[in-house]
Amino acid sequence: MCTTRPPPVSSRPPLCRSTMLVILLLPFFLLACVILAMVSLWVFCVEFLTVHVPASISHPLRLRLLHCFFQLLILWGNVLEKLRICSMPWFLRFTQDLLPLRNDPDVVVTDLCFGTIPVRLYQPKAASCSPRPGIVFYHGGGGIMGSLKTHHGICRQLCKETNSVVLSVGYRLMPEVKFPVISRDCICATIHFLKSLKLYGVDPACVVVYGDSVGGGIALAVCQNLLCYPDLPKIRAQVLIYPALQGINFQCPSYQQNKNSPMLKLDYTLSWLCSYLSINPAWKNTMLQNAHLPPEVWAKYQKWLG
């Protein structure tokens, strides 16, 4: 009598569906990584060789490298945005805030909130028998990046070298907010600070506003708005570092000579401006040709835009 032997039973458990899916998708993921690496290398080389570095820059190689890394961050941020993982501005801010902070034993740093607006206060550690000058600092970054962390070093240095009390304002950024939130945050924080100068040991006659890039434009806007508050201490001076001051005439020399400068191309500037003001990006070419405003506006502001 012949018997049929049962088939051998495998001791290995069957693969679950999620494991099989991972195995199937792994080659596509690796291919995508290779393509992204090749595109990144191409962007890095093209930007490194073609970017125009002004002759006045003391360390042109450093600026080229920094510009190339910045372009890569924008590329990777756009990829993540297309994949609906996070927005490109959020990715830029995340990578910037990874940099470690350096503290100075001679400077006391305090994180505060003026209402809902985060601020960072820098005060010299040494005691003073008289009130110190005050500096209100607005960071740059095109309204989409920059933070209290990215400008921590310069605020700490300002505090130490000028023996001043420095207030850095952490205003909200795009794309989470639009016009006029950024300016409003800075105005509110500045007014709160001006009302509290005695608390922070600041001389009311020596308050300065300071900003770089879009922060320079904010500093100017704050001063203009403070004219409506005659009871507050007067701003003694403005320190504006390559400020964004006007969006009327894009044919003036400063725009044309620096439209392809590292880190701050005119195309990016207009894209961020359109985003902040909720303008359709299709208007960029019209804005570059100065055809975006009616004649009566030109007649009103022409004398200041020569």
Side-chain angles (χ1 to χ4, degrees), residues 144-164:
I144 69 166
M145 56 185 176
S147 66
L148 298 176
K149 289 184 177 180
T150 58
H151 290 68
H152 174 79
I154 188 173
C155 290
R156 187 192 68 231
Q157 186 177 1
L158 279 171
C159 174
K160 184 175 182 178
E161 295 190 1
T162 65
N163 192 33
S164 301

mmCIF file with all atom_site columns, all heavy atoms in Angstrom, residues 144-164:
data_model
loop_
_atom_site.group_PDB
_atom_site.id
_atom_site.type_symbol
_atom_site.label_atom_id
_atom_site.label_alt_id
_atom_site.label_comp_id
_atom_site.label_asym_id
_atom_site.label_entity_id
_atom_site.label_seq_id
_atom_site.pdbx_PDB_ins_code
_atom_site.Cartn_x
_atom_site.Cartn_y
_atom_site.Cartn_z
_atom_site.occupancy
_atom_site.B_iso_or_equiv
_atom_site.pdbx_formal_charge
_atom_site.auth_seq_id
_atom_site.auth_comp_id
_atom_site.auth_asym_id
_atom_site.auth_atom_id
_atom_site.pdbx_PDB_model_num
ATOM 1   N N   . ILE A 1 144 ? 10.033 84.851  4.676  1.00 0.00 ? 144 ILE A N   1
ATOM 2   C CA  . ILE A 1 144 ? 9.730  83.421  4.698  1.00 0.00 ? 144 ILE A CA  1
ATOM 3   C C   . ILE A 1 144 ? 10.692 82.648  5.589  1.00 0.00 ? 144 ILE A C   1
ATOM 4   O O   . ILE A 1 144 ? 10.420 81.503  5.956  1.00 0.00 ? 144 ILE A O   1
ATOM 5   C CB  . ILE A 1 144 ? 9.757  82.810  3.277  1.00 0.00 ? 144 ILE A CB  1
ATOM 6   C CG1 . ILE A 1 144 ? 11.180 82.785  2.716  1.00 0.00 ? 144 ILE A CG1 1
ATOM 7   C CG2 . ILE A 1 144 ? 8.814  83.541  2.350  1.00 0.00 ? 144 ILE A CG2 1
ATOM 8   C CD1 . ILE A 1 144 ? 11.320 81.915  1.490  1.00 0.00 ? 144 ILE A CD1 1
ATOM 9   N N   . MET A 1 145 ? 11.840 83.227  5.926  1.00 0.00 ? 145 MET A N   1
ATOM 10  C CA  . MET A 1 145 ? 12.803 82.537  6.775  1.00 0.00 ? 145 MET A CA  1
ATOM 11  C C   . MET A 1 145 ? 13.483 83.554  7.682  1.00 0.00 ? 145 MET A C   1
ATOM 12  O O   . MET A 1 145 ? 13.158 84.738  7.665  1.00 0.00 ? 145 MET A O   1
ATOM 13  C CB  . MET A 1 145 ? 13.835 81.796  5.929  1.00 0.00 ? 145 MET A CB  1
ATOM 14  C CG  . MET A 1 145 ? 14.566 82.670  4.935  1.00 0.00 ? 145 MET A CG  1
ATOM 15  S SD  . MET A 1 145 ? 15.649 81.705  3.865  1.00 0.00 ? 145 MET A SD  1
ATOM 16  C CE  . MET A 1 145 ? 16.254 82.982  2.778  1.00 0.00 ? 145 MET A CE  1
ATOM 17  N N   . GLY A 1 146 ? 14.446 83.084  8.461  1.00 0.00 ? 146 GLY A N   1
ATOM 18  C CA  . GLY A 1 146 ? 15.034 83.932  9.474  1.00 0.00 ? 146 GLY A CA  1
ATOM 19  C C   . GLY A 1 146 ? 14.260 83.773  10.777 1.00 0.00 ? 146 GLY A C   1
ATOM 20  O O   . GLY A 1 146 ? 13.057 83.477  10.777 1.00 0.00 ? 146 GLY A O   1
ATOM 21  N N   . SER A 1 147 ? 14.950 83.943  11.899 1.00 0.00 ? 147 SER A N   1
ATOM 22  C CA  . SER A 1 147 ? 14.301 83.752  13.195 1.00 0.00 ? 147 SER A CA  1
ATOM 23  C C   . SER A 1 147 ? 15.154 84.385  14.277 1.00 0.00 ? 147 SER A C   1
ATOM 24  O O   . SER A 1 147 ? 16.206 84.966  14.009 1.00 0.00 ? 147 SER A O   1
ATOM 25  C CB  . SER A 1 147 ? 14.116 82.254  13.478 1.00 0.00 ? 147 SER A CB  1
ATOM 26  O OG  . SER A 1 147 ? 15.385 81.621  13.629 1.00 0.00 ? 147 SER A OG  1
ATOM 27  N N   . LEU A 1 148 ? 14.712 84.243  15.506 1.00 0.00 ? 148 LEU A N   1
ATOM 28  C CA  . LEU A 1 148 ? 15.506 84.710  16.637 1.00 0.00 ? 148 LEU A CA  1
ATOM 29  C C   . LEU A 1 148 ? 16.828 83.949  16.710 1.00 0.00 ? 148 LEU A C   1
ATOM 30  O O   . LEU A 1 148 ? 17.839 84.498  17.160 1.00 0.00 ? 148 LEU A O   1
ATOM 31  C CB  . LEU A 1 148 ? 14.716 84.522  17.937 1.00 0.00 ? 148 LEU A CB  1
ATOM 32  C CG  . LEU A 1 148 ? 13.408 85.302  18.065 1.00 0.00 ? 148 LEU A CG  1
ATOM 33  C CD1 . LEU A 1 148 ? 12.702 84.938  19.365 1.00 0.00 ? 148 LEU A CD1 1
ATOM 34  C CD2 . LEU A 1 148 ? 13.658 86.801  17.993 1.00 0.00 ? 148 LEU A CD2 1
ATOM 35  N N   . LYS A 1 149 ? 16.831 82.691  16.245 1.00 0.00 ? 149 LYS A N   1
ATOM 36  C CA  . LYS A 1 149 ? 18.053 81.889  16.296 1.00 0.00 ? 149 LYS A CA  1
ATOM 37  C C   . LYS A 1 149 ? 19.062 82.305  15.229 1.00 0.00 ? 149 LYS A C   1
ATOM 38  O O   . LYS A 1 149 ? 20.259 82.389  15.493 1.00 0.00 ? 149 LYS A O   1
ATOM 39  C CB  . LYS A 1 149 ? 17.713 80.408  16.138 1.00 0.00 ? 149 LYS A CB  1
ATOM 40  C CG  . LYS A 1 149 ? 17.009 79.792  17.329 1.00 0.00 ? 149 LYS A CG  1
ATOM 41  C CD  . LYS A 1 149 ? 16.806 78.301  17.115 1.00 0.00 ? 149 LYS A CD  1
ATOM 42  C CE  . LYS A 1 149 ? 16.157 77.645  18.325 1.00 0.00 ? 149 LYS A CE  1
ATOM 43  N NZ  . LYS A 1 149 ? 15.960 76.185  18.113 1.00 0.00 ? 149 LYS A NZ  1
ATOM 44  N N   . THR A 1 150 ? 18.583 82.554  14.009 1.00 0.00 ? 150 THR A N   1
ATOM 45  C CA  . THR A 1 150 ? 19.519 82.839  12.918 1.00 0.00 ? 150 THR A CA  1
ATOM 46  C C   . THR A 1 150 ? 20.292 84.128  13.144 1.00 0.00 ? 150 THR A C   1
ATOM 47  O O   . THR A 1 150 ? 21.426 84.261  12.694 1.00 0.00 ? 150 THR A O   1
ATOM 48  C CB  . THR A 1 150 ? 18.773 82.925  11.580 1.00 0.00 ? 150 THR A CB  1
ATOM 49  O OG1 . THR A 1 150 ? 17.762 83.947  11.658 1.00 0.00 ? 150 THR A OG1 1
ATOM 50  C CG2 . THR A 1 150 ? 18.118 81.613  11.222 1.00 0.00 ? 150 THR A CG2 1
ATOM 51  N N   . HIS A 1 151 ? 19.699 85.090  13.846 1.00 0.00 ? 151 HIS A N   1
ATOM 52  C CA  . HIS A 1 151 ? 20.356 86.374  14.079 1.00 0.00 ? 151 HIS A CA  1
ATOM 53  C C   . HIS A 1 151 ? 20.790 86.541  15.531 1.00 0.00 ? 151 HIS A C   1
ATOM 54  O O   . HIS A 1 151 ? 21.012 87.658  15.994 1.00 0.00 ? 151 HIS A O   1
ATOM 55  C CB  . HIS A 1 151 ? 19.429 87.520  13.663 1.00 0.00 ? 151 HIS A CB  1
ATOM 56  C CG  . HIS A 1 151 ? 19.244 87.614  12.173 1.00 0.00 ? 151 HIS A CG  1
ATOM 57  N ND1 . HIS A 1 151 ? 18.579 86.666  11.436 1.00 0.00 ? 151 HIS A ND1 1
ATOM 58  C CD2 . HIS A 1 151 ? 19.652 88.551  11.280 1.00 0.00 ? 151 HIS A CD2 1
ATOM 59  C CE1 . HIS A 1 151 ? 18.572 87.014  10.159 1.00 0.00 ? 151 HIS A CE1 1
ATOM 60  N NE2 . HIS A 1 151 ? 19.213 88.144  10.034 1.00 0.00 ? 151 HIS A NE2 1
ATOM 61  N N   . HIS A 1 152 ? 20.901 85.422  16.222 1.00 0.00 ? 152 HIS A N   1
ATOM 62  C CA  . HIS A 1 152 ? 21.331 85.452  17.618 1.00 0.00 ? 152 HIS A CA  1
ATOM 63  C C   . HIS A 1 152 ? 22.744 86.021  17.742 1.00 0.00 ? 152 HIS A C   1
ATOM 64  O O   . HIS A 1 152 ? 23.032 86.832  18.631 1.00 0.00 ? 152 HIS A O   1
ATOM 65  C CB  . HIS A 1 152 ? 21.272 84.032  18.194 1.00 0.00 ? 152 HIS A CB  1
ATOM 66  C CG  . HIS A 1 152 ? 21.826 83.907  19.572 1.00 0.00 ? 152 HIS A CG  1
ATOM 67  N ND1 . HIS A 1 152 ? 21.132 84.268  20.696 1.00 0.00 ? 152 HIS A ND1 1
ATOM 68  C CD2 . HIS A 1 152 ? 23.039 83.457  20.015 1.00 0.00 ? 152 HIS A CD2 1
ATOM 69  C CE1 . HIS A 1 152 ? 21.871 84.044  21.771 1.00 0.00 ? 152 HIS A CE1 1
ATOM 70  N NE2 . HIS A 1 152 ? 23.023 83.552  21.389 1.00 0.00 ? 152 HIS A NE2 1
ATOM 71  N N   . GLY A 1 153 ? 23.631 85.610  16.831 1.00 0.00 ? 153 GLY A N   1
ATOM 72  C CA  . GLY A 1 153 ? 25.031 86.041  16.914 1.00 0.00 ? 153 GLY A CA  1
ATOM 73  C C   . GLY A 1 153 ? 25.204 87.541  16.759 1.00 0.00 ? 153 GLY A C   1
ATOM 74  O O   . GLY A 1 153 ? 25.930 88.177  17.533 1.00 0.00 ? 153 GLY A O   1
ATOM 75  N N   . ILE A 1 154 ? 24.541 88.119  15.759 1.00 0.00 ? 154 ILE A N   1
ATOM 76  C CA  . ILE A 1 154 ? 24.720 89.557  15.526 1.00 0.00 ? 154 ILE A CA  1
ATOM 77  C C   . ILE A 1 154 ? 24.068 90.366  16.648 1.00 0.00 ? 154 ILE A C   1
ATOM 78  O O   . ILE A 1 154 ? 24.610 91.411  17.049 1.00 0.00 ? 154 ILE A O   1
ATOM 79  C CB  . ILE A 1 154 ? 24.153 89.963  14.145 1.00 0.00 ? 154 ILE A CB  1
ATOM 80  C CG1 . ILE A 1 154 ? 24.515 91.421  13.842 1.00 0.00 ? 154 ILE A CG1 1
ATOM 81  C CG2 . ILE A 1 154 ? 22.655 89.758  14.075 1.00 0.00 ? 154 ILE A CG2 1
ATOM 82  C CD1 . ILE A 1 154 ? 24.151 91.847  12.441 1.00 0.00 ? 154 ILE A CD1 1
ATOM 83  N N   . CYS A 1 155 ? 22.957 89.899  17.196 1.00 0.00 ? 155 CYS A N   1
ATOM 84  C CA  . CYS A 1 155 ? 22.327 90.625  18.307 1.00 0.00 ? 155 CYS A CA  1
ATOM 85  C C   . CYS A 1 155 ? 23.200 90.554  19.556 1.00 0.00 ? 155 CYS A C   1
ATOM 86  O O   . CYS A 1 155 ? 23.345 91.545  20.286 1.00 0.00 ? 155 CYS A O   1
ATOM 87  C CB  . CYS A 1 155 ? 20.949 90.047  18.585 1.00 0.00 ? 155 CYS A CB  1
ATOM 88  S SG  . CYS A 1 155 ? 19.730 90.386  17.304 1.00 0.00 ? 155 CYS A SG  1
ATOM 89  N N   . ARG A 1 156 ? 23.787 89.401  19.795 1.00 0.00 ? 156 ARG A N   1
ATOM 90  C CA  . ARG A 1 156 ? 24.693 89.256  20.942 1.00 0.00 ? 156 ARG A CA  1
ATOM 91  C C   . ARG A 1 156 ? 25.904 90.169  20.780 1.00 0.00 ? 156 ARG A C   1
ATOM 92  O O   . ARG A 1 156 ? 26.346 90.824  21.733 1.00 0.00 ? 156 ARG A O   1
ATOM 93  C CB  . ARG A 1 156 ? 25.137 87.803  21.044 1.00 0.00 ? 156 ARG A CB  1
ATOM 94  C CG  . ARG A 1 156 ? 25.944 87.459  22.284 1.00 0.00 ? 156 ARG A CG  1
ATOM 95  C CD  . ARG A 1 156 ? 26.586 86.097  22.150 1.00 0.00 ? 156 ARG A CD  1
ATOM 96  N NE  . ARG A 1 156 ? 27.609 86.111  21.128 1.00 0.00 ? 156 ARG A NE  1
ATOM 97  C CZ  . ARG A 1 156 ? 27.679 85.231  20.126 1.00 0.00 ? 156 ARG A CZ  1
ATOM 98  N NH1 . ARG A 1 156 ? 26.765 84.287  20.007 1.00 0.00 ? 156 ARG A NH1 1
ATOM 99  N NH2 . ARG A 1 156 ? 28.653 85.308  19.234 1.00 0.00 ? 156 ARG A NH2 1
ATOM 100 N N   . GLN A 1 157 ? 26.422 90.248  19.560 1.00 0.00 ? 157 GLN A N   1
ATOM 101 C CA  . GLN A 1 157 ? 27.582 91.096  19.296 1.00 0.00 ? 157 GLN A CA  1
ATOM 102 C C   . GLN A 1 157 ? 27.221 92.574  19.425 1.00 0.00 ? 157 GLN A C   1
ATOM 103 O O   . GLN A 1 157 ? 28.002 93.372  19.972 1.00 0.00 ? 157 GLN A O   1
ATOM 104 C CB  . GLN A 1 157 ? 28.115 90.802  17.900 1.00 0.00 ? 157 GLN A CB  1
ATOM 105 C CG  . GLN A 1 157 ? 29.414 91.522  17.566 1.00 0.00 ? 157 GLN A CG  1
ATOM 106 C CD  . GLN A 1 157 ? 29.929 91.132  16.190 1.00 0.00 ? 157 GLN A CD  1
ATOM 107 O OE1 . GLN A 1 157 ? 29.311 90.338  15.483 1.00 0.00 ? 157 GLN A OE1 1
ATOM 108 N NE2 . GLN A 1 157 ? 31.056 91.693  15.801 1.00 0.00 ? 157 GLN A NE2 1
ATOM 109 N N   . LEU A 1 158 ? 26.051 92.970  18.921 1.00 0.00 ? 158 LEU A N   1
ATOM 110 C CA  . LEU A 1 158 ? 25.607 94.356  19.061 1.00 0.00 ? 158 LEU A CA  1
ATOM 111 C C   . LEU A 1 158 ? 25.499 94.751  20.535 1.00 0.00 ? 158 LEU A C   1
ATOM 112 O O   . LEU A 1 158 ? 25.915 95.845  20.927 1.00 0.00 ? 158 LEU A O   1
ATOM 113 C CB  . LEU A 1 158 ? 24.251 94.542  18.380 1.00 0.00 ? 158 LEU A CB  1
ATOM 114 C CG  . LEU A 1 158 ? 24.234 94.727  16.863 1.00 0.00 ? 158 LEU A CG  1
ATOM 115 C CD1 . LEU A 1 158 ? 22.808 94.684  16.352 1.00 0.00 ? 158 LEU A CD1 1
ATOM 116 C CD2 . LEU A 1 158 ? 24.901 96.031  16.482 1.00 0.00 ? 158 LEU A CD2 1
ATOM 117 N N   . CYS A 1 159 ? 24.937 93.859  21.309 1.00 0.00 ? 159 CYS A N   1
ATOM 118 C CA  . CYS A 1 159 ? 24.771 94.134  22.738 1.00 0.00 ? 159 CYS A CA  1
ATOM 119 C C   . CYS A 1 159 ? 26.119 94.344  23.411 1.00 0.00 ? 159 CYS A C   1
ATOM 120 O O   . CYS A 1 159 ? 26.308 95.302  24.174 1.00 0.00 ? 159 CYS A O   1
ATOM 121 C CB  . CYS A 1 159 ? 24.009 92.988  23.390 1.00 0.00 ? 159 CYS A CB  1
ATOM 122 S SG  . CYS A 1 159 ? 23.876 93.100  25.179 1.00 0.00 ? 159 CYS A SG  1
ATOM 123 N N   . LYS A 1 160 ? 27.068 93.481  23.112 1.00 0.00 ? 160 LYS A N   1
ATOM 124 C CA  . LYS A 1 160 ? 28.361 93.535  23.792 1.00 0.00 ? 160 LYS A CA  1
ATOM 125 C C   . LYS A 1 160 ? 29.204 94.721  23.337 1.00 0.00 ? 160 LYS A C   1
ATOM 126 O O   . LYS A 1 160 ? 29.796 95.430  24.154 1.00 0.00 ? 160 LYS A O   1
ATOM 127 C CB  . LYS A 1 160 ? 29.110 92.219  23.554 1.00 0.00 ? 160 LYS A CB  1
ATOM 128 C CG  . LYS A 1 160 ? 30.439 92.133  24.290 1.00 0.00 ? 160 LYS A CG  1
ATOM 129 C CD  . LYS A 1 160 ? 31.079 90.772  24.108 1.00 0.00 ? 160 LYS A CD  1
ATOM 130 C CE  . LYS A 1 160 ? 32.391 90.670  24.884 1.00 0.00 ? 160 LYS A CE  1
ATOM 131 N NZ  . LYS A 1 160 ? 33.000 89.324  24.759 1.00 0.00 ? 160 LYS A NZ  1
ATOM 132 N N   . GLU A 1 161 ? 29.261 94.955  22.026 1.00 0.00 ? 161 GLU A N   1
ATOM 133 C CA  . GLU A 1 161 ? 30.171 95.974  21.508 1.00 0.00 ? 161 GLU A CA  1
ATOM 134 C C   . GLU A 1 161 ? 29.635 97.391  21.660 1.00 0.00 ? 161 GLU A C   1
ATOM 135 O O   . GLU A 1 161 ? 30.410 98.342  21.670 1.00 0.00 ? 161 GLU A O   1
ATOM 136 C CB  . GLU A 1 161 ? 30.489 95.681  20.043 1.00 0.00 ? 161 GLU A CB  1
ATOM 137 C CG  . GLU A 1 161 ? 31.269 94.388  19.842 1.00 0.00 ? 161 GLU A CG  1
ATOM 138 C CD  . GLU A 1 161 ? 31.791 94.239  18.424 1.00 0.00 ? 161 GLU A CD  1
ATOM 139 O OE1 . GLU A 1 161 ? 31.554 95.158  17.608 1.00 0.00 ? 161 GLU A OE1 1
ATOM 140 O OE2 . GLU A 1 161 ? 32.425 93.210  18.134 1.00 0.00 ? 161 GLU A OE2 1
ATOM 141 N N   . THR A 1 162 ? 28.326 97.547  21.759 1.00 0.00 ? 162 THR A N   1
ATOM 142 C CA  . THR A 1 162 ? 27.756 98.893  21.910 1.00 0.00 ? 162 THR A CA  1
ATOM 143 C C   . THR A 1 162 ? 27.257 99.159  23.325 1.00 0.00 ? 162 THR A C   1
ATOM 144 O O   . THR A 1 162 ? 26.771 100.254 23.596 1.00 0.00 ? 162 THR A O   1
ATOM 145 C CB  . THR A 1 162 ? 26.590 99.097  20.927 1.00 0.00 ? 162 THR A CB  1
ATOM 146 O OG1 . THR A 1 162 ? 25.530 98.208  21.276 1.00 0.00 ? 162 THR A OG1 1
ATOM 147 C CG2 . THR A 1 162 ? 27.025 98.833  19.497 1.00 0.00 ? 162 THR A CG2 1
ATOM 148 N N   . ASN A 1 163 ? 27.371 98.145  24.199 1.00 0.00 ? 163 ASN A N   1
ATOM 149 C CA  . ASN A 1 163 ? 26.891 98.278  25.581 1.00 0.00 ? 163 ASN A CA  1
ATOM 150 C C   . ASN A 1 163 ? 25.435 98.727  25.602 1.00 0.00 ? 163 ASN A C   1
ATOM 151 O O   . ASN A 1 163 ? 25.034 99.644  26.331 1.00 0.00 ? 163 ASN A O   1
ATOM 152 C CB  . ASN A 1 163 ? 27.762 99.267  26.372 1.00 0.00 ? 163 ASN A CB  1
ATOM 153 C CG  . ASN A 1 163 ? 27.487 99.219  27.864 1.00 0.00 ? 163 ASN A CG  1
ATOM 154 O OD1 . ASN A 1 163 ? 27.177 98.168  28.413 1.00 0.00 ? 163 ASN A OD1 1
ATOM 155 N ND2 . ASN A 1 163 ? 27.590 100.363 28.531 1.00 0.00 ? 163 ASN A ND2 1
ATOM 156 N N   . SER A 1 164 ? 24.638 98.057  24.758 1.00 0.00 ? 164 SER A N   1
ATOM 157 C CA  . SER A 1 164 ? 23.235 98.428  24.603 1.00 0.00 ? 164 SER A CA  1
ATOM 158 C C   . SER A 1 164 ? 22.332 97.259  24.972 1.00 0.00 ? 164 SER A C   1
ATOM 159 O O   . SER A 1 164 ? 22.751 96.093  24.968 1.00 0.00 ? 164 SER A O   1
ATOM 160 C CB  . SER A 1 164 ? 22.952 98.852  23.156 1.00 0.00 ? 164 SER A CB  1
ATOM 161 O OG  . SER A 1 164 ? 23.761 99.935  22.765 1.00 0.00 ? 164 SER A OG  1
#
